[in-house]
Amino acid sequence: MEILNKLRSLDAYPKINEDFYSRTLSGGLITICSSLAILFLFFSELSLYLNAATQSKLSVDTSRGETLRVNFDLTFPAVACSLLSVDAMDISGEQHYDIRHDIIKKRIDHFGNVIESRSDGIGAPKIERPLQKHGGRLDHNETYCGSCFGAEASDDDCCNSCEEVREAYQKKGWSLTNLDLIDQCKREGFIQKIKEEEGEGCNMHGFLEVNKVAGSIHFAPGKSFHQSTFPLFDLLSLQAENYNITHKINKLSFGKEFPGIVNPLDGVQWTQQKSGIYQYFIKVVPTIYTDIRGRKINSNQFSVTEHFRAADGHPLPPGIFFFYDFSPIKVTFNEEKSSLLHFLTNICAIIGGIFTVSGIIDAFVYHGQRAIKKKMEIGKYG
């Protein structure tokens, strides 16, 4: 019994007989307010516990020799798909012109409705027997060797497609002015495609794999080629001002998507007022996102500035140019979740803190009311 009495003396929560309780209106209001505050803070803390918080960290990017996927989705309301090409080059010297793989083109009318969707390319030959270099039609027992129409570098050269004829002319520095006379172009339906798509627009989407070095991507009407270290364009003998490069960037991203990523060019639209080229200068920031389960997503964020360069009488090829460079700083995001012990500690702090503050306020209000009431009684009988 003595031990029990000693334990009873250690009770930090002495009980008061209910007969001595004094319940007040102010105490009831304070209890309701404090209970609501506890519930609000409890659910806020529960939400933070159930949802992972993202912590960021900066470090130097030491990765080397990697490639980068550029995802794009652009709409050109006034440029036909047959005239639109994509080119990529970088400072390492790698160049790709008129890229067609992993790209889908959609022909659209002036209302934006899709007419046809296809992988990039012209189509199947329309003439079964191509014109040979010697002037006759291809026989069944012959090997096809098409004419380059005077642009052969040697007697053994053959041009078996419209594109090869164009490239041969480009190497000579000649202009291919009349495609109707080129058998390969007629056979591939190139001219017919251009005529069919007159007045149409084009949606182009897909992706490119580029080296992780500074470079550029061009979207332009006509077929580009490289000569004397400058990118030039064969515009099918049409003047540059005839092209309207009004465009909308539906999507442009570098690498995989991750939670919370913001691509600043998504949804950007530009309407051409005069002939020229539209340039986007992009700074790509390598980013690693690690989710709560430890899965890593290697991606990139980017910032961008825009500039329009008007032709003003100069022979500028129309088009959209994306010039990108990489930041030496890498951003790492880590999803982190607070522990159960931390959550319980915060809940106890919320409940205890609010009850303590509420008790202080209640005591202040109660004793204040009593003091005022006492003074009023003294004044009444004084």
Side-chain angles (χ1 to χ4, degrees):
M1 290 296 293
E2 186 177 349
I3 295 175
L4 294 177
N5 288 331
K6 286 185 178 180
L7 288 175
R8 193 177 291 114
S9 66
L10 295 176
D11 185 6
Y13 310 99
K15 312 303 182 293
I16 301 175
N17 195 309
E18 289 189 5
D19 294 336
F20 297 98
Y21 283 148
S22 177
R23 303 184 186 278
T24 62
L25 176 62
S26 61
L29 293 174
I30 292 172
T31 300
I32 292 173
C33 292
S34 60
S35 299
L36 291 175
I38 289 173
L39 285 174
F40 174 75
L41 294 177
F42 170 78
F43 285 111
S44 297
E45 194 66 31
L46 181 63
S47 176
L48 291 175
Y49 172 70
L50 295 177
N51 297 302
T54 303
Q55 305 294 330
S56 60
K57 183 177 69 174
L58 299 179
S59 60
V60 177
D61 184 20
T62 58
S63 60
R64 295 178 297 173
E66 297 180 357
T67 59
L68 173 68
R69 172 174 288 196
V70 182
N71 308 293
F72 62 87
D73 184 348
L74 285 81
T75 299
F76 296 83
V79 181
C81 287
S82 294
L83 296 178
L84 204 55
S85 66
V86 185
D87 316 303
M89 62 182 70
D90 58 47
I91 59 172
S92 69
E94 190 165 323
Q95 302 163 359
H96 301 278
Y97 299 102
D98 194 17
I99 302 170
R100 300 189 179 188
H101 54 84
D102 301 317
I103 295 175
I104 302 296
K105 288 182 177 179
K106 294 180 181 178
R107 295 168 55 192
I108 58 175
D109 59 23
H110 60 284
F111 294 111
N113 300 317
V114 177
I115 300 171
E116 178 190 13
S117 178
R118 67 171 187 267
S119 298
D120 198 8
I122 299 302
K126 293 188 175 182
I127 301 175
E128 295 182 359
R129 299 178 59 199
L131 188 66
Q132 284 282 57
K133 185 176 181 179
H134 54 68
R137 290 292 175 183
L138 177 66
D139 290 331
H140 295 293
N141 58 351
E142 285 185 311
T143 300
Y144 178 47
C145 179
S147 172
C148 295
F149 298 89
E152 296 90 345
S154 67
D155 293 338
D156 296 329
D157 283 353
C158 299
C159 295
N160 295 339
S161 68
C162 183
E163 192 66 26
E164 290 179 4
V165 176
R166 293 159 62 82
E167 290 175 358
Y169 267 67
Q170 290 162 6
K171 290 176 182 178
K172 289 284 188 179
W174 299 349
S175 175
L176 192 59
T177 58
N178 197 341
L179 296 179
D180 285 316
L181 301 179
I182 306 301
D183 177 71
Q184 290 89 329
C185 297
K186 289 192 297 182
R187 180 163 48 84
E188 293 174 9
F190 188 76
I191 301 299
Q192 185 64 28
K193 277 289 181 184
I194 294 175
K195 291 179 180 178
E196 287 178 1
E197 297 180 9
E198 187 175 357
E200 295 179 1
C202 188
N203 171 264
M204 179 182 288
H205 67 274
F207 64 89
L208 303 174
E209 292 283 349
V210 298
N211 294 323
K212 198 175 178 181
V213 295
S216 62
I217 301 172
H218 312 155
F219 294 83
K223 306 297 181 181
S224 64
F225 62 99
H226 200 264
Q227 190 177 65
S228 305
T229 72
F230 293 100
L232 304 175
F233 290 80
D234 170 12
L235 296 178
L236 299 177
S237 70
L238 296 175
Q239 296 299 317
E241 54 266 20
N242 291 338
Y243 289 102
N244 183 348
I245 58 169
T246 294
H247 61 275
K248 180 180 181 182
I249 303 174
N250 304 306
K251 187 76 176 176
L252 183 71
S253 63
F254 294 80
K256 298 178 181 178
E257 299 282 330
F258 63 86
I261 188 172
V262 176
N263 297 315
L265 285 178
D266 289 1
V268 169
Q269 188 168 359
W270 180 78
T271 303
Q272 176 174 306
Q273 303 296 332
K274 55 183 178 179
S275 180
I277 59 176
Y278 206 82
Q279 301 168 314
Y280 296 92
F281 298 91
I282 296 172
K283 178 67 74 171
V284 181
V285 182
T287 303
I288 297 177
Y289 189 95
T290 305
D291 64 16
I292 196 68
R293 298 179 180 177
R295 294 178 298 188
K296 285 188 176 182
I297 301 175
N298 290 291
S299 185
N300 299 272
Q301 303 176 86
F302 68 92
S303 61
V304 61
T305 55
E306 306 171 24
H307 176 69
F308 175 71
R309 184 180 175 188
D312 293 332
H314 302 290
L316 290 178
I320 306 173
F321 291 69
F322 295 93
F323 298 95
Y324 58 88
D325 197 0
F326 290 86
S327 169
I329 301 300
K330 176 174 62 178
V331 180
T332 302
F333 291 109
N334 291 298
E335 283 188 352
E336 295 181 357
K337 191 175 180 180
S338 59
S339 65
L340 179 61
L341 182 61
H342 184 266
F343 170 69
L344 294 176
T345 302
N346 286 348
I347 294 300
C348 291
I350 289 170
I351 296 174
I354 289 181
F355 265 112
T356 300
V357 173
S358 299
I360 294 172
I361 295 174
D362 179 63
F364 177 79
V365 172
Y366 175 71
H367 291 295
Q369 286 178 338
R370 288 190 63 183
I372 292 172
K373 187 175 181 182
K374 190 180 234 183
K375 286 184 178 181
M376 289 178 66
E377 289 177 352
I378 294 174
K380 183 178 180 180
Y381 297 104

